[in-house]
Amino acid sequence: MAGIYLHIPFCDTKCIYCDFYSITNHSKKAEFLNSIKKEIQFYSKQLADRKFNSIFFGGGTPSLLSYEEFTGIFDELYNCYDISADCEITIEANPGTLDKDKLDIFKKLPINRMSFGVQSFIDEELKFLTRIHTAEQAKSSINAAKAAGFDNVNLDVIFALPGQTMDSWKYNLDEAINLDTKHISAYSLIFEKGTMLYSMRDKGQVQNADIELEQEMYEYTMQTLANAGYKQYEISNYAKPGYECRHNLKYWTLEEYIAFGPSASSYIGNQRWTNIKNIGRYIELIDSGKPAHDFIETIDKETSVTEHIMLGLRSVGVNFEEFRRRHNIDFETAYSSPIETLITSGYAVKDAQSISLTRKGYAVCDEIVATLF
Ligand code: SF4
């Protein structure tokens, strides 16, 4: 089954490390909401034969939308697409935008999964990241969401911040585990080009974390979350059994997804396209009945094979039967030499059905994929 992503680009402020398409000027919000509904309609005929079992509201800060704004979008989605009764419906929430009224609104909507951008449980680190919430607000928002009946909750945390010590990361991870959410995403801080953080480093105001410390933090994270009952199913993602994010798994297992909103990327058939990263232009294109594509690419067989291996190894592994079904290639025969190297080095384990990385393998995944395949 396929997934649906909606990009809601509005934020109250721009975080220094953020390279998502997000804007703090909300003046075009009403026009944007009209356009995204038109875009939802736009693909409905083309996708009439697809069934969808995940919807993900990302951003930006989708938790800024009102009840009426959400119901407008949901009505359009349910009118246009065949959505399964057990659809996983996630909303990304900024703890600084949530209160009891907002949670009551979410409970009235079909949302059944909440993903909190916490990033840190230390106020100085949150200030450095220019987050709009405190550690206490993050904790109380998550506890309030659970008390309101949201069982399936994720929280995001970031490690390898400039100046962060191993002790402060251990504290962050302990706080995350204490909240007992079903899912934790733990990312290392990336200095993305075009962000304020990137220019701060250019000006010598901040430095990357020491690479060995970052590695130590990553290994500590994998071990500690495993001890706490979280199964790692992607380089940065950990879930209690049965709570893997169905929507994100679609990205990593090359299933189809349609995405709406500026900067959103879709993958349908053998085509992948990304929408334009400009809200004004997005509205103009959609309102004139055109797709809002910035670029579109056709995924050829070779790219599809490489992506399958790369994304599979980064996440749940490569299933041999699935690989044969998609590409008509016997994975074990075609890649016998890299497989042997991975296994003898302790980077991967294999059974009759699939090969997947070990923790040691996850720690060097990008190098492995680049050199062996
Ligand atoms: S709240 Fe999220 S999307 Fe918005 S600026 Fe911060 S990191 Fe980016």
Side-chain angles (χ1 to χ4, degrees):
M1 282 196 242
I4 295 175
Y5 174 79
L6 299 106
H7 191 81
I8 312 297
F10 308 105
C11 286
D12 280 340
T13 58
K14 182 78 182 172
C15 303
I16 56 166
Y17 58 93
C18 176
D19 84 326
F20 298 117
Y21 177 65
S22 68
I23 51 175
T24 52
N25 178 346
H26 300 190
S27 60
K28 290 192 183 337
K29 190 165 144 202
E31 286 173 85
F32 160 78
L33 288 166
N34 277 330
S35 298
I36 203 166
K37 284 184 246 173
K38 286 185 193 159
E39 195 185 20
I40 290 169
Q41 293 163 8
F42 187 86
Y43 293 97
S44 60
K45 276 209 184 85
Q46 183 189 339
L47 301 176
D49 62 344
R50 307 296 206 281
K51 197 159 175 89
F52 295 86
N53 68 354
S54 73
I55 298 175
F56 196 105
F57 287 89
T61 309
S63 49
L64 287 172
L65 296 190
S66 68
Y67 177 72
E68 290 71 26
E69 289 164 341
F70 270 116
T71 46
I73 293 177
F74 274 118
D75 286 350
E76 214 58 64
L77 287 171
Y78 280 92
N79 281 337
C80 292
Y81 297 98
D82 183 1
I83 294 170
S84 70
D86 72 336
C87 188
E88 174 194 272
I89 305 182
T90 304
I91 179 169
E92 282 182 345
N94 185 324
T97 64
L98 273 198
D99 53 23
K100 188 171 176 319
D101 291 348
K102 202 96 219 195
L103 281 167
D104 288 344
I105 286 174
F106 293 163
K107 268 322 267 182
K108 285 195 269 168
L109 295 164
I111 293 164
N112 51 30
R113 183 172 185 273
M114 292 195 65
S115 177
F116 286 88
V118 172
Q119 318 314 359
S120 172
F121 290 98
I122 297 175
D123 285 339
E124 296 86 74
E125 292 181 355
L126 289 168
K127 275 200 195 110
F128 170 75
L129 293 168
T130 54
R131 300 290 301 177
I132 58 169
H133 56 87
T134 62
E136 211 41 58
Q137 273 176 307
K139 286 191 261 185
S140 60
S141 294
I142 290 172
N143 284 328
K146 287 166 66 183
F150 286 100
D151 165 55
N152 194 353
V153 173
N154 168 60
L155 66 86
D156 289 350
V157 272
I158 303 182
F159 62 94
L161 306 184
Q164 189 177 45
T165 61
M166 193 63 201
D167 279 347
S168 64
W169 175 239
K170 284 182 177 174
Y171 172 82
N172 271 307
L173 210 50
D174 283 349
E175 290 290 274
I177 290 167
N178 287 341
L179 282 165
D180 196 25
T181 54
K182 294 291 196 276
H183 193 287
I184 294 178
S185 301
Y187 302 97
S188 64
L189 182 68
I190 308 283
F191 287 68
E192 299 279 6
K193 206 167 179 186
T195 61
M196 203 186 301
L197 185 66
Y198 192 90
S199 2
M200 286 164 73
R201 187 179 60 183
D202 270 356
K203 291 180 197 148
Q205 294 165 345
V206 290
Q207 285 181 337
N208 287 67
D210 175 80
I211 197 143
E212 279 171 21
L213 177 62
E214 179 174 342
Q215 196 61 25
E216 199 188 328
M217 286 175 173
Y218 184 50
E219 279 161 22
Y220 177 82
T221 306
M222 291 191 282
Q223 182 64 57
T224 307
L225 290 177
N227 294 346
Y230 291 89
K231 183 174 177 342
Q232 184 171 18
Y233 70 106
E234 198 264 349
I235 288 209
S236 309
N237 284 279
Y238 309 80
K240 294 273 173 76
Y243 286 90
E244 295 83 5
C245 176
R246 189 190 283 171
H247 185 81
N248 284 341
L249 274 169
K250 294 190 190 301
Y251 299 137
W252 305 324
T253 55
L254 294 169
E255 285 184 56
E256 290 184 315
Y257 44 90
I258 183 75
F260 307 114
S263 81
S265 289
S266 302
Y267 182 41
I268 298 290
N270 64 346
Q271 292 209 303
R272 186 178 292 132
W273 64 87
T274 297
N275 279 352
I276 198 142
K277 289 186 184 177
N278 177 309
I279 192 164
R281 190 77 189 114
Y282 168 81
I283 291 167
E284 265 172 40
L285 284 165
I286 296 290
D287 286 2
S288 59
K290 298 190 184 117
H293 299 165
D294 185 13
F295 56 88
I296 181 161
E297 58 180 331
T298 300
I299 309 298
D300 60 23
K301 185 172 162 59
E302 196 184 330
T303 310
S304 170
V305 166
T306 312
E307 286 188 350
H308 191 150
I309 297 171
M310 184 188 73
L311 293 169
L313 288 179
R314 285 179 67 93
S315 58
V316 288
V318 176
N319 178 286
F320 306 135
E321 191 48 48
E322 176 64 11
F323 199 84
R324 187 179 299 109
R325 189 188 66 75
R326 276 181 194 254
H327 312 292
N328 201 22
I329 295 173
D330 184 304
F331 187 86
E332 289 175 282
T333 308
Y335 300 100
S336 56
S337 164
I339 290 173
E340 199 188 325
T341 309
L342 286 176
I343 289 169
T344 50
S345 318
Y347 290 142
V349 286
K350 179 172 105 62
D351 60 21
Q353 282 85 40
S354 63
I355 181 166
S356 54
L357 293 189
T358 57
R359 272 185 226 143
K360 188 178 167 193
Y362 273 133
V364 289
C365 177
D366 290 343
E367 293 98 283
I368 288 174
V369 174
T371 51
L372 291 180
F373 293 96

